[in-house]
Amino acid sequence: MADDALAGAVTAFLAHLRDERGLSPATVRHYGRDVEAFAHHAREADLPAWGRVTEADVRAFIAARHRRGLGGRSLARMLSALRTFFAYLMREGLVANNPATGVPAPRAPRRLPETLDVDETARLLDGNDDDTLARRDRAIFELVYSSGLRLAEVAALDVADVAGDPETLRVEGKGAKTRIVPVGRRARTAVQAWLAVRGSLSPAGEPALFVSRRGRRLAHRSIQQRLRVMARQQGLDRPVHPHMLRHAFATHLLESSGDLRAVQELLGHASLATTQVYTHLDFQHLAEVYDRAHPRARRKRD
């Protein structure tokens, strides 16, 4: 394929993205980089014309990038750029079909979520709560761990949600889906301790359960920052974020019960496949125990 045909089509495509679709400069730059990579491949493979590019050509390009170490997410982004590019060429009458439409990206390996073990969780939550903000923070993170709450879910709680020291809590999760979750004894105790002093920060009529120094609903970022500080104070040697407590809830519950369906319901996952990542965490734990304990697994000492 001639260089001028390659360059002309790519230049016109990027102008279309910028001027007609109004995409940001960064997005146009990313599309341009991905399409230019394919154009370079077309030159190297001596493809005759854009209209003669086949699905097999696109597959060969993606396979080559995969062999060079490009990950699944990057390849998926690259395929998205190619589909958009060939859709533009179809609109302009330069090609008859879109050869990138049926090409799947290699599946990216699922990253296991970071979590805390039982001892780390206990160390984190068993700190002092001898001032108002410490009581508030203790209540927040006891609830997250006790009930497997998301950051947005705990931040959205109102005082009315915990009226009467309930043993269950109704929360609204992703997609406005409501679920009922249990509230453990320690979490209930921590919430009641916070409610006893909440009035010193919160003005009358404020519905939010957890409020800032100014008496307003506590922001997500503030909750994240408070947990990082709390983890450092308790001697944890790595960054801790609220979702790690939700992961700890799921992992510890699954280790004890083995009931994946129950964990799915408690987490509010729409698909069991989402919850199954915790079976990998559980297996990792069992494998570590096996390696330490089984006579045929232990390494010989030097």
Side-chain angles (χ1 to χ4, degrees):
M1 195 185 302
D3 285 351
D4 55 348
L6 286 168
V10 174
T11 299
F13 169 62
L14 297 180
H16 159 73
L17 295 179
R18 182 181 60 250
D19 302 331
E20 295 183 40
R21 294 185 54 180
L23 300 185
S24 70
T27 301
V28 173
R29 186 167 61 252
H30 292 155
Y31 271 91
R33 182 181 59 201
D34 291 339
V35 174
E36 285 285 1
F38 184 76
H40 177 74
H41 169 80
R43 293 187 191 94
E44 295 291 318
D46 198 24
L47 299 180
W50 286 122
R52 302 282 295 278
V53 173
T54 66
E55 182 176 305
D57 295 324
V58 177
R59 286 180 180 274
F61 168 68
I62 293 299
R65 306 295 286 189
H66 190 218
R67 287 194 298 271
R68 290 172 57 182
L70 212 62
R73 290 184 181 179
S74 297
L75 292 173
R77 187 205 65 229
M78 187 168 282
L79 276 169
S80 177
L82 291 178
R83 291 186 191 107
T84 305
F85 174 60
F86 280 104
Y88 164 77
L89 295 182
M90 286 179 66
R91 193 195 78 165
E92 296 298 308
L94 299 174
V95 300
N97 54 38
N98 191 330
T101 299
V103 181
R107 182 174 295 179
R110 172 169 280 186
R111 294 172 60 187
L112 295 179
E114 289 185 275
T115 187
L116 300 168
D117 64 31
V118 174
D119 290 338
E120 288 175 319
T121 306
R123 191 193 317 169
L124 177 68
L125 296 177
D126 288 346
N128 295 325
D129 53 1
D130 50 4
D131 63 53
T132 301
L133 295 181
R135 285 194 187 186
R136 180 201 63 192
D137 297 344
R138 174 84 170 273
I140 291 171
F141 302 123
E142 285 281 7
L143 264 179
V144 171
Y145 177 60
S146 168
S147 306
L149 301 185
R150 298 179 176 94
L151 173 59
E153 292 169 351
V154 74
L157 289 175
D158 290 335
V159 174
D161 295 325
V162 296
D165 192 16
E167 295 185 1
T168 60
L169 192 63
R170 182 184 295 271
V171 295
E172 186 173 298
K174 289 184 176 179
K177 292 181 179 178
T178 301
R179 72 184 189 281
I180 306 296
V181 294
V183 182
R185 175 180 55 83
R186 292 199 177 191
R188 296 200 308 273
T189 299
V191 169
Q192 293 304 311
W194 157 241
L195 288 174
V197 297
R198 174 182 173 277
S200 64
L201 295 179
S202 177
E206 169 58 56
L209 175 58
F210 298 114
V211 296
S212 67
R213 295 174 187 270
R214 298 180 180 180
R216 300 171 184 170
R217 187 179 298 275
L218 198 60
H220 296 187
R221 185 181 297 275
S222 296
I223 295 174
Q224 293 168 329
Q225 290 173 340
R226 293 294 295 185
L227 182 57
R228 284 197 291 268
V229 170
M230 189 171 167
R232 285 199 301 269
Q233 290 174 340
Q234 295 306 110
L236 296 183
D237 58 358
R238 57 187 172 126
V240 177
H241 53 80
H243 224 60
M244 289 173 71
L245 282 173
R246 176 171 154 90
H247 294 322
F249 160 85
T251 306
H252 302 166
L253 195 61
L254 186 60
E255 286 175 356
S256 300
S257 69
D259 193 333
L260 193 63
R261 286 283 181 185
V263 174
Q264 176 194 1
E265 291 295 324
L266 290 169
L267 290 173
H269 286 163
S271 168
L272 188 64
T274 307
T275 317
Q276 282 176 330
V277 67
Y278 294 104
T279 64
H280 298 299
L281 287 171
D282 189 28
F283 180 79
Q284 278 190 336
H285 168 72
L286 294 175
E288 289 169 2
V289 172
Y290 175 86
D291 287 341
R292 289 196 304 267
H294 195 285
R296 293 290 192 181
R298 290 197 299 263
R299 293 182 178 179
K300 292 181 179 180
R301 293 183 179 179
D302 294 334

